[in-house]
Amino acid sequence: MSDYEDRLGESVSALMDGEATEFETHRILKEVGDTSGARCSARDKWQRYQMASSVMTGEPVSKIDLSGAISAAIDLENAHRINPLTRHAGSAGRFAIAASVAMVAILGVQQLNNGGLENADAIQFAEVAVDEALQNTGPALQFPAGFQPNIQARTVSVGSNNQTSRQPIAKTIKVGQPIKKQFSEVELRSYLNDIILDHSSHAALNSSQGMLPFARATMNGVAPEPE
Amino acid sequence: MLVKFWFKNIKLAAIVAAIFVHGSIFAEPMSSGYDLVTGMTNASKSLSYAGLVTYEYRGNLRSIKVAHIVRDGKTYERIQHMDGPESEVVRRGDDTDCMRAADLLLGGRPLKSGDDNYAHLRDLYDFHIRGDARIAGRSVSVVHVIPKDRFRYGYIVAIDKQSGLMLQSVLMNHDSKPMERFQFIDVAIGASANNVEWLPSLMTSGGAEEPVCQQDNTPPSPSAWESRWRPPGFVLSSSSPVDPDGRESMMYTDGLAVFSVFIDASESSQSLPSVEANVGATVVALRKAKFNNRQYAVTVVGEIPRSTAARIAVAMGPIRRLPINR
């Protein structure tokens, strides 16, 4: 019994702090409404707590209990008749609101997803979805299909300075000459093809991706073509 | 009344207990995305499978018929291109017990990478299971593999629930855009894949050469070149010494991504320009370097961001402690 009252007291305290669960609130309301005998304790406790809180916040403390009069007045009031149609319309309206909120949520989530890796649609491959940075930004150089070369540098010796090949293209331009073509495109292409094929066959053994590197090798135009 | 209340409480407790007990006893063992990805390597080596694959990049599509057959611990592979110029590759793969660097990394074993750094796949990527899908008529788990730095790309992989085989792999760039997609459209796994007519001839002829299983990540022959910078986590997985033409290569992997470095002093490389190119997801960064009065073409190839490839190429240099002949 006392255990139960203790817990009821805790619930009342929680309700004061606005932390009571729905279950607790219902129980307190039930207890408070029952004014007979020992059950008054919850009601008393509630009043005491309210008083203490008023004192602490410096509000005027009154011992007038309005609750009886208010509940009597409520009892006297005619119950509003609820038109069944309106009631249904009301719930339909609520449903509509809920549905539109859900819709917004779904759209919103999709919007969010579109920006992130989480997007399942990312699996849908599109041509536009190519790293734009990988597009050819280099000088206009006729180049066989497959490659988009970005010639950064130059035909001069790089020397021992490791940074040179990362230097901006402006430096090359300063020479005031178009980039000389001292190499054959076919040669370069076949050299790169060769290297990519080599890489792919290594990768097939050394990566975890099974057959994937072979597929890449296929794509890279390794299939023999007369040059 | 009080009795009734307690009775209610007991009922509630019973329900809660039932949920918890049920959850812990009967729930399927949940494997993490990391486990799925590491298991996928094993499956791709140890299982026999045959099927049709599409490979796609930038609106280009190729279809390829692949077969990976494991017999008596040996692996046989056949790759047939179904469109474009006719071509077919039949080869002996690694023995199934060959553990290469990528396998070790994926097995969760840290490998030494350079100067006392230990690489672990989980330090490099985040693994997230993103639900279920259906690929090649099979039920798969979709795992997003997201890199923790900008030196490598991410993947979306779809892993067969039954066998653990990877049935789809999409390489994602840093803007979360797909760069290439590899996907099975039909696959037979296990015994049903084993029935292939070309296998006996390959087994008896010994036709395709057997690759050398390079298990440890120490180069078999000392190279005069070293990599002074690599993205964290990349370890040497194989290397080939200088060939008669003057070309040597090294391959590095972080367990998922792979790049190769070629160092070429051959005649044919002399006239090449410094160039960066990409084919699909594969990037090539060629840089000319001069060392001991010789011109070298240093080429980095791999499925890595272009900036990474360029940086790796720049950081390749002759080993400093070797005496330099003048």
Side-chain angles (χ1 to χ4, degrees):
Chain A
M1 187 75 178
S2 69
D3 178 42
Y4 176 59
E5 273 174 3
D6 280 353
R7 282 200 290 140
L8 197 63
E10 277 170 27
S11 297
V12 171
S13 170
L15 187 64
M16 285 284 299
D17 299 336
E19 286 171 354
T21 62
E22 202 178 338
F23 179 65
E24 281 176 317
T25 313
H26 277 294
R27 195 162 50 151
I28 292 163
L29 286 175
K30 192 164 140 267
E31 295 292 330
V32 167
D34 186 358
T35 48
S36 60
R39 296 284 176 210
C40 276
S41 62
R43 191 193 178 88
D44 292 345
K45 210 166 260 174
W46 176 255
Q47 279 172 341
R48 278 204 307 279
Y49 285 171
Q50 288 294 348
M51 226 184 284
S53 123
S54 297
V55 167
M56 278 192 283
T57 50
E59 288 169 22
V61 179
S62 86
K63 277 220 72 175
I64 303 166
D65 187 355
L66 295 173
S67 65
I70 290 172
S71 64
I74 290 171
D75 284 345
L76 281 175
E77 196 122 320
N78 286 332
H80 291 287
R81 243 183 67 102
I82 300 166
N83 185 342
L85 191 70
T86 349
R87 193 171 56 194
H88 282 118
S91 60
R94 276 200 299 276
F95 175 77
I97 290 168
S100 52
V101 167
M103 180 112 149
V104 166
I106 289 165
L107 288 177
V109 167
Q110 275 179 350
Q111 286 278 313
L112 278 177
N113 274 352
N114 279 343
L117 249 180
E118 295 75 21
N119 186 13
D121 285 349
I123 294 171
Q124 277 167 18
F125 218 79
E127 185 169 0
V128 286
V130 177
D131 189 355
E132 293 297 325
L134 293 181
Q135 299 284 352
N136 179 16
T137 51
L141 189 90
Q142 280 302 312
F143 218 73
F147 287 110
Q148 293 86 44
N150 178 16
I151 308 240
Q152 278 198 329
R154 347 86 65 92
T155 50
V156 292
S157 156
V158 167
S160 58
N161 182 355
N162 283 338
Q163 297 304 316
T164 41
S165 72
R166 293 299 298 155
Q167 277 172 0
I169 197 157
K171 179 133 190 188
T172 319
I173 291 164
K174 210 162 65 182
V175 181
Q177 283 174 351
I179 294 166
K180 281 187 216 150
K181 241 166 78 178
Q182 291 186 349
F183 58 94
S184 135
E185 288 169 17
V186 176
E187 212 174 272
L188 176 57
R189 185 188 172 201
S190 73
Y191 183 79
L192 295 185
N193 261 347
D194 199 18
I195 268 183
I196 290 174
L197 176 61
D198 222 354
H199 165 73
S200 297
S201 62
H202 280 169
L205 292 173
N206 286 294
S207 83
S208 51
Q209 297 169 317
M211 295 289 198
L212 176 49
F214 291 122
R216 284 202 188 106
T218 322
M219 212 59 199
N220 294 340
V222 169
E225 274 173 50
E227 297 265 318
Chain B
M1 186 133 189
L2 200 61
V3 176
K4 194 179 160 195
F5 179 81
W6 276 112
F7 186 62
K8 264 188 188 167
N9 258 10
I10 288 165
K11 270 203 290 190
L12 184 72
I15 290 166
V16 169
I19 291 166
F20 273 96
V21 170
H22 177 269
S24 56
I25 292 182
F26 301 109
E28 280 179 42
M30 283 292 291
S31 44
S32 69
Y34 174 76
D35 295 336
L36 285 174
V37 170
T38 52
M40 148 191 129
T41 327
N42 253 331
S44 73
K45 283 172 83 83
S46 60
L47 288 174
S48 288
Y49 55 91
L52 283 166
V53 165
T54 56
Y55 176 78
E56 205 177 352
Y57 86 89
R58 289 182 67 188
N60 300 304
L61 177 81
R62 276 287 168 91
S63 38
I64 304 140
K65 199 184 223 173
V66 300
H68 177 274
I69 308 296
V70 178
R71 268 260 170 106
D72 308 326
K74 296 197 185 304
T75 307
Y76 304 91
E77 287 167 324
R78 187 198 210 198
I79 299 99
Q80 268 176 294
H81 304 149
M82 304 306 284
D83 42 25
E86 222 173 282
S87 93
E88 179 187 317
V89 182
V90 183
R91 65 196 289 273
R92 282 267 346 251
D94 270 335
D95 287 351
T96 45
D97 54 356
C98 177
M99 294 290 282
R100 287 178 183 265
D103 304 320
L104 296 174
L105 286 172
L106 278 169
R109 267 178 266 182
L111 269 183
K112 205 172 184 326
S113 69
D115 325 312
D116 295 328
N117 290 324
Y118 285 87
H120 197 290
L121 206 55
R122 265 194 268 218
D123 301 333
L124 309 173
Y125 298 94
D126 283 320
F127 298 85
H128 301 290
I129 297 183
R130 285 280 187 249
D132 300 340
R134 187 166 163 270
I135 303 265
R138 302 174 69 93
S139 172
V140 294
S141 303
V142 177
V143 180
H144 286 196
V145 181
I146 300 164
K148 291 189 178 178
D149 56 36
R150 293 182 71 85
F151 298 126
R152 63 204 97 219
Y153 287 135
Y155 306 82
I156 297 175
V157 289
I159 297 164
D160 184 35
K161 285 191 168 176
Q162 207 188 329
S163 65
L165 196 67
M166 184 263 282
L167 295 185
Q168 185 195 50
S169 170
V170 183
L171 189 71
M172 307 294 286
N173 72 7
H174 295 141
D175 302 324
S176 301
K177 300 269 175 65
M179 302 186 67
E180 61 164 25
R181 178 167 63 155
F182 170 91
Q183 181 176 324
F184 275 92
I185 52 172
D186 186 27
V187 67
I189 299 172
S192 50
N194 243 322
N195 183 24
V196 281
E197 71 283 0
W198 49 268
L199 189 56
S201 62
L202 180 65
M203 286 175 78
T204 50
S205 70
E209 62 184 291
E210 188 173 347
V212 180
C213 180
Q214 197 175 324
Q215 302 221 23
D216 52 1
N217 64 329
T218 49
S221 61
S223 168
W225 292 77
E226 66 177 355
S227 154
R228 289 173 194 157
W229 181 85
R230 289 188 301 278
F234 276 92
V235 299
L236 187 70
S237 64
S238 73
S239 59
S240 355
V242 187
D243 65 11
D245 288 341
R247 185 160 108 184
E248 61 179 309
S249 68
M250 290 145 241
M251 170 163 284
Y252 296 87
T253 181
D254 67 354
L256 292 172
V258 176
F259 70 85
S260 307
V261 181
F262 296 89
I263 291 153
D264 198 344
S266 68
E267 207 54 47
S268 63
S269 72
Q270 296 298 306
S271 62
L272 295 172
S274 288
V275 70
E276 282 179 22
N278 62 284
V279 188
T282 308
V283 163
V284 185
L286 195 161
R287 187 182 72 90
K288 300 305 287 288
K290 208 169 181 188
F291 164 47
N292 281 358
N293 286 325
R294 276 190 86 176
Q295 275 277 3
Y296 290 88
V298 177
T299 314
V300 176
V301 190
E303 288 71 40
I304 48 175
R306 185 179 271 199
S307 53
T308 308
R311 198 169 157 189
I312 296 164
V314 166
M316 290 302 297
I319 288 180
R320 289 184 187 116
R321 59 176 180 274
L322 283 187
I324 296 171
N325 313 314
R326 299 229 175 240

